[in-house]
Amino acid sequence: EAGVAQSPRYKIIEKRQSVAFWCNPISGHATLYWYQQILGQGPKLLIQFQNNGVVDDSQLPKDRFSAERLKGVDSTLKIQPAKLEDSAVYLCASSLVQTNTGELFFGEGSRLTVL
Amino acid sequence: GQNIDQPTEMTATEGAIVQINCTYQTSGFNGLFWYQQHAGEAPTFLSYNVLDGLEEKGRFSSFLSRSKGYSYLLLKELQMKDSASYLCAVNEDNYQLIWGAGTKLIIKP
């Protein structure tokens, strides 16, 4: 079974530039998450999708971050414009279960460095 | 408010046993997860406890006491490959996952 795919693995940009990350979840997983993980900290939920609908985006900085999940499968996360504090690993995860009671399967992450 | 506490770092010796504690204060509770995260890699699932008690899975065991807001992960027969961060995450009533900052475990020969 293929895992969660993410790209790019690494991205370096200057502040005020834009960046986009892509995620393809495990086939059949209706729930998709985007997390931000700063070095030495636990993952912070940015947005949670159920199929192509948003379940929770309360911690997404909507002035600069946006995410979509077209057709309930692939998802993209965009940052525009980037700030220095956005330097982090962006983890995509998917789950078969809808209510956070099941295992989350994580992708390898996209490491963003903002200079 | 929501709070999950874990020790920042622990050191143990290869072949020994180590217990990583997690205490939580959340508005609700629907289960507690433990994940392992090697440096530079994604978290991987270890265990999920909903009821009080100890659940054993090979060298790893996880314990939960809901009344005390407390869990621990017990690792036996430590191996060098167990060097990683261990993340505790609580499933709240509104089905939000609250993550701890993780415990970095260092295994020495």
Side-chain angles (χ1 to χ4, degrees), chain A residues 32-45:
Chain A
L32 186 148
Y33 310 78
W34 281 103
Y35 282 95
Q36 180 193 59
Q37 188 174 27
I38 294 172
L39 188 64
Q41 299 182 17
K44 171 189 169 185
L45 179 69

Side-chain angles (χ1 to χ4, degrees), chain A residues 35 37 56 99-101 104 107, chain B residues 35 37 42 48 91 95-96:
Chain A
Y35 282 95
Q37 188 174 27
D56 183 357
T99 55
N100 287 329
T101 55
L104 269 64
Chain B
Y35 280 80
Q37 186 174 27
Y48 180 55
N91 183 355
Y95 296 105
Q96 287 190 353

Side-chain angles (χ1 to χ4, degrees), chain B residues 11-57:
Chain B
T11 302
T13 304
E14 189 177 16
I17 299 173
V18 71
Q19 177 175 311
I20 302 174
N21 296 326
C22 171
T23 58
Y24 61 89
Q25 290 179 310
T26 55
S27 59
F29 183 83
N30 275 297
L32 185 145
F33 290 91
W34 283 98
Y35 280 80
Q36 180 190 59
Q37 186 174 27
H38 285 101
E41 299 181 11
T44 55
F45 172 83
L46 288 177
S47 65
Y48 180 55
N49 292 65
V50 178
L51 302 176
D52 289 352
L54 184 69
E55 291 197 8
E56 299 184 68
K57 193 184 295 185

